[in-house]
Amino acid sequence: LMPIELIDTHCHLDSESFQQDLEKLVAAAHDAGVIRMITIGTDLASSQAARGLAERFDTVLPVVGIHPNYTSKAGAGDWQEIEVLAAMADVVGIGETGLDLYWKTVPLDLQQDYFQRHLDLSRRVGKPFVVHCRDAEPEVMEMLRSDFRSGPLHGVMHSFCGTPEAAAECIAMGMYVSIAGMVTYRKNDHLREMAATIPLDRILVETDAPYLSPHPNRGKRNQPAWVRFTAECLAEVHGITLDELAAATTRNARSVFGLN
């Protein structure tokens, strides 16, 4: 029997909550069949930390960028530094970027300015962008449509919880859709119904660890090994085996992030 191979396409391994036992968690992920973990920057410091973690662990890969909720805290030279990091050979993507209208702490126009910068940078360096969208689906879709006029979109909708229509449109524009642990929660039938509509050649799995732990670990600190619970749920939703779902999502992750 071949062990399954999964790729956690979105986690935050630089999180303070991992500092004590990161080695153990990376080992646990390997034991669970997680062959790669993509750790995502949210500001300049965490983007630099993501690169450091990738140097420390050969199964960890960095994505660099400034999260919409942190754009107002970005220093004067921070964006230039992100551009420098983005061009480095070991960096596999740009983000996380996007729009967040849930917290209402950052003006929309500033978030849009940075989202566009990430989209432009992604095209320049030929690496995928990673989109955070919270309570902002119409606004995010508007910017993606506008960018699509310059050609197919090379990116990922991360922890997607939106409508099947938006998912289908993102896919039609060239994107991949990543599903996180919330799809496993008992009450989230609508998320499972949406996930069932995503074609197997465009679906990804992620943890967003340390956040959003899947059932049966809801409420605990999430970790990359637990991406398997999300994969199991998606296999069920798609009516296929875990092996088939793992093979599809891993192939997709390699494809969008340009992994060997």
Side-chain angles (χ1 to χ4, degrees):
L1 259 177
M2 281 291 289
I4 65 158
E5 293 192 335
L6 290 161
I7 293 179
D8 181 358
T9 61
H10 195 112
C11 54
H12 299 279
L13 296 181
D14 68 305
S15 165
E16 223 160 275
S17 66
F18 289 138
Q19 267 165 15
Q20 299 315 307
D21 56 351
L22 190 56
E23 249 105 28
K24 213 164 77 194
L25 293 180
V26 168
H30 296 164
D31 292 345
V34 180
I35 57 165
R36 296 269 195 288
M37 288 150 266
I38 299 180
T39 190
I40 312 276
T42 52
D43 59 13
L44 178 57
S46 80
S47 294
Q48 290 165 331
R51 273 201 79 224
L53 289 167
E55 281 168 15
R56 197 170 134 200
F57 300 102
D58 58 1
T59 51
V60 172
L61 301 157
V63 165
V64 301
I66 301 177
H67 188 294
N69 291 337
Y70 297 109
T71 50
S72 57
K73 296 191 184 79
D78 287 10
W79 179 250
Q80 285 73 16
E81 289 295 315
I82 292 288
E83 292 182 311
V84 170
L85 290 173
M88 292 180 174
D90 59 340
V91 169
V92 299
I94 313 300
E96 80 190 76
T97 183
L99 303 173
D100 190 314
L101 296 179
Y102 175 81
W103 294 105
K104 315 226 188 310
T105 48
V106 180
L108 178 60
D109 58 353
L110 182 63
Q111 295 188 41
Q112 287 168 322
D113 171 47
Y114 271 89
F115 188 8
Q116 192 58 53
R117 293 185 201 195
H118 286 78
L119 293 171
D120 295 343
L121 179 58
S122 159
R123 285 197 190 273
R124 269 205 312 282
V125 298
K127 294 172 187 178
F129 57 88
V130 175
V131 179
H132 167 99
C133 174
R134 191 164 186 197
D135 291 359
E137 188 173 285
E139 293 82 359
V140 164
M141 294 307 295
E142 188 186 340
M143 287 193 65
L144 292 174
R145 278 180 208 124
S146 151
D147 202 65
F148 181 55
R149 295 192 196 114
S150 308
L153 299 182
H154 183 34
V156 173
M157 295 302 279
H158 128 71
S159 185
F160 189 75
C161 306
T163 61
E165 293 75 21
E169 189 178 350
C170 287
I171 288 163
M173 291 190 287
M175 296 182 70
Y176 289 74
V177 177
S178 182
I179 305 293
M182 290 178 296
V183 75
T184 65
Y185 300 169
R186 204 164 44 91
K187 291 206 169 114
N188 282 348
D189 288 326
H190 67 288
L191 282 189
R192 285 184 284 279
E193 285 160 19
M194 179 274 295
T197 69
I198 299 170
L200 285 175
D201 63 350
R202 291 302 182 87
I203 195 166
L204 301 169
V205 285
E206 64 168 275
T207 57
D208 204 15
Y211 317 107
L212 302 177
S213 272
H215 176 79
N217 299 317
R218 189 173 182 178
K220 298 185 184 150
R221 179 193 65 169
N222 202 358
Q223 55 170 292
W226 294 350
V227 75
R228 192 177 180 124
F229 294 115
T230 297
E232 284 167 352
C233 173
L234 289 173
E236 205 173 299
V237 159
H238 275 268
I240 58 177
T241 66
L242 176 60
D243 283 2
E244 291 168 313
L245 189 281
T249 56
T250 295
R251 194 164 51 240
N252 297 340
R254 287 186 197 278
S255 172
V256 68
F257 288 104
L259 312 181
N260 47 17

